[in-house]
Amino acid sequence: MADQKQEETLLEATVGPDLAGARLDQALASLFSDYSRSRLQAWTREGRVSVNGEQRRPRDKVAIDDRLQLRAVAEEQVACVPQDIPLRIVFEDEHLLVVNKPAGLVVHPAAGNPDGTLQNALLYHDPALIELPRAGIVHRLDKDTTGLMVIGRSQAAYKRLVESIAARTVKREYRALVIGSMPAGATIDMPIGRHPTQRTRMAVNPMGKPSVTHFRVLEHFRGHTLLKVILETGRTHQIRVHMAHLRHPVFGDQVYGGRLRLPGGASEELKQVLRGFRRQALHAKRLQLEHPVSGRPMRFECAIPADMRAVIDALAADANIHWQDPDYEDYAGFDDYDGFDEYGEDED
C-alpha cells in the first residue's frame, strides 16, 4: 500500500464589515467554508491560523480588515491500491486520459468508500500514476453523476490541467433533467458554501465561493425540463445546489430533490420508469480543453447513459414529443450565453 503525501495549502482572507466583532472561529467558518468549524478550531490551536501575522485563540474577536492566514492540511487519505476495475476510456496518450465515468463509481477513496473507486482503477491501468496526487485526478463528479472526466498522466500535464481548470478554460457541458418548467435559458450567479447546519450538504450561501452556472432548455416535458448546462465554476454539487435553490431540483436527487413528483395523469408505465430511477439525472456529456502539452484544441463527447435516456424517452412519449439530443456543432462555449437573463440573490 502507498500512503498519500500530506498536502498543505496557504489560504488568505480579509475580514469584512459583516464579520467585524465575530469570534475568530466563526469568521474562519464563514471565510473558509470548505472546512468544518471543528477542524478550523483545531488548526487554530495548532498554530495554523494567524491574524495579522499573530496567533490567536478561537474565541478571540476579529476586526474589520484583519488579515487571516490559514495553513490548511489535506485530510488524511485512505491508502489507495490498484484494483482491476473496468475503465470506459474515451481517449488516452502519454500525457492525459479521458474516461466516461459510470453511475455508482466513487472518484477517490474516503470514509465509507475505502476502495472500488476510479482512483483504484486508474492505478491498475497505469501504475505510474502513483507519483501524481490522487492518481492524476484534477476534477470530480459525484458518485451517481455520469460522464466525462480528464486525468493528467504526467507531472507537466497534471499541473497544466489544474491551472486550466482554475483559469476556467476547460469547458464542461452537462445534461440535466430537472423537475418543473424552466425558462428558455439563464445564468445562475449565486455563491455556494457549506450548509450552515448540515455539514455534508452544500447550499447557496452569501459567504460561499462565487459559483456560476449557465443553462438552456432543450425540451419541455409534462412536469420536467431537460437542460443543457455549462459550468463556469466547479463547486461541489454546483448544478444540484443551484437547481434546487431555484426550486427545480435535478430529478432523482436523493439529497437536494425531496420526494418523487409524478406528472398528473401519468400512465402506469411512466410511473414505473420514474420510480425506478434512483440517482440524480445528471450527465457530463461534453468536454473541451487544450492539450496540456501540445496546446492542441480537443473536444470529447459521450452519449447519455441508458438509464437516464430511458427516463427522457418515457417523458417524451408521455408528452408526444420526438426528442433528439443536439449535435456537437451547436456548442460554442460560453459565448452562447451572451444576453441571457440572470438569476441573482435578489431573485429568490
Side-chain angles (χ1 to χ4, degrees):
M1 289 188 180
D3 293 330
Q4 299 288 330
K5 295 180 180 179
Q6 191 177 57
E7 299 176 7
E8 184 177 289
T9 304
L10 179 63
L11 302 172
E12 298 180 310
T14 301
V15 175
D18 53 325
L19 291 174
R23 287 172 51 115
L24 175 57
D25 55 358
Q26 293 173 326
L28 291 169
S30 294
L31 295 170
F32 305 110
S33 59
D34 283 349
Y35 306 104
S36 69
R37 186 167 172 178
S38 61
R39 289 186 71 195
L40 292 165
Q41 289 172 332
W43 284 340
T44 303
R45 296 187 185 100
E46 293 169 7
R48 292 187 168 277
V49 173
S50 67
V51 181
N52 301 323
E54 299 178 354
Q55 292 187 8
R56 301 277 182 87
R57 298 168 298 180
R59 67 173 181 267
D60 288 342
K61 300 297 178 66
V62 296
I64 188 170
D65 293 333
D66 276 350
R67 291 180 295 104
L68 308 186
Q69 285 192 330
L70 167 65
R71 291 185 293 114
V73 179
E75 293 184 53
E76 184 178 348
Q77 301 295 321
V78 177
C80 191
V81 297
Q83 290 180 308
D84 187 5
I85 300 169
L87 287 172
R88 301 176 182 178
I89 297 174
V90 177
F91 173 86
E92 68 176 318
D93 65 12
E94 61 182 313
H95 296 291
L96 61 81
L97 185 68
V98 177
V99 299
N100 179 6
K101 189 189 85 65
L105 182 64
V106 176
V107 170
H108 53 71
N113 294 288
D115 57 14
T117 70
L118 175 63
Q119 185 173 338
N120 297 100
L122 290 169
L123 290 174
Y124 185 89
H125 178 74
D126 182 2
L129 290 174
I130 193 67
E131 301 297 327
L132 298 176
R134 290 188 171 173
I137 295 170
V138 296
H139 65 118
R140 293 181 293 177
L141 292 177
D142 298 333
K143 175 183 177 181
D144 288 326
T145 297
T146 57
L148 296 173
M149 291 183 61
V150 61
I151 292 96
R153 297 186 71 180
S154 65
Q155 290 286 353
Y158 176 83
K159 179 176 182 293
R160 288 170 189 163
L161 285 171
V162 170
E163 292 171 346
S164 295
I165 289 175
R168 304 180 184 179
T169 58
V170 176
K171 296 179 181 180
R172 292 164 285 173
E173 182 181 319
Y174 291 72
R175 292 292 180 267
L177 181 68
V178 302
I179 296 171
S181 180
M182 297 289 284
T187 292
I188 309 169
D189 187 355
M190 298 178 179
I192 290 176
R194 289 287 174 189
H195 192 283
T197 59
Q198 302 175 48
R199 301 301 297 179
T200 60
R201 297 181 56 169
M202 308 300 288
V204 168
N205 183 336
M207 302 307 298
K209 294 181 179 179
S211 307
V212 180
T213 303
H214 308 279
F215 73 89
R216 271 190 173 173
V217 169
L218 293 178
E219 196 65 71
H220 284 108
F221 306 112
R222 293 193 318 113
H224 298 79
T225 307
L226 183 65
L227 304 177
K228 174 171 75 172
V229 183
I230 291 180
L231 290 181
E232 186 170 326
T233 55
R235 309 304 177 204
T236 301
H237 301 172
Q238 178 171 319
I239 296 173
R240 298 164 62 191
V241 170
H242 271 166
M243 294 303 164
H245 188 77
L246 297 181
R247 299 182 180 86
H248 294 282
V250 175
F251 174 72
D253 193 331
Q254 302 295 308
V255 176
Y256 302 102
R259 63 181 180 82
L260 175 66
R261 306 177 213 174
L262 299 172
S267 66
E268 286 303 316
E269 181 180 358
L270 177 59
K271 290 179 182 178
Q272 184 176 353
V273 171
L274 297 181
R275 287 170 176 154
F277 191 80
R278 301 300 181 89
R279 67 176 182 88
Q280 62 264 15
L282 186 60
H283 174 64
K285 182 177 175 62
R286 292 166 178 163
L287 182 68
Q288 180 176 310
L289 69 155
E290 290 186 354
H291 191 282
V293 175
S294 71
R296 177 168 61 94
M298 307 185 80
R299 292 180 175 180
F300 304 99
E301 181 173 3
C302 63
I304 294 173
D307 63 340
M308 182 173 166
R309 182 68 196 233
V311 172
I312 296 171
D313 287 345
L315 290 170
D318 172 73
N320 293 315
I321 294 171
H322 175 70
W323 177 81
Q324 185 173 357
D325 208 14
D327 293 332
Y328 199 93
E329 286 71 20
D330 78 333
Y331 176 56
F334 296 116
D335 293 340
D336 224 4
Y337 293 86
D338 288 347
F340 273 24
D341 293 333
E342 181 169 318
Y343 282 105
E345 283 301 325
D346 58 343
E347 295 284 341
D348 185 55

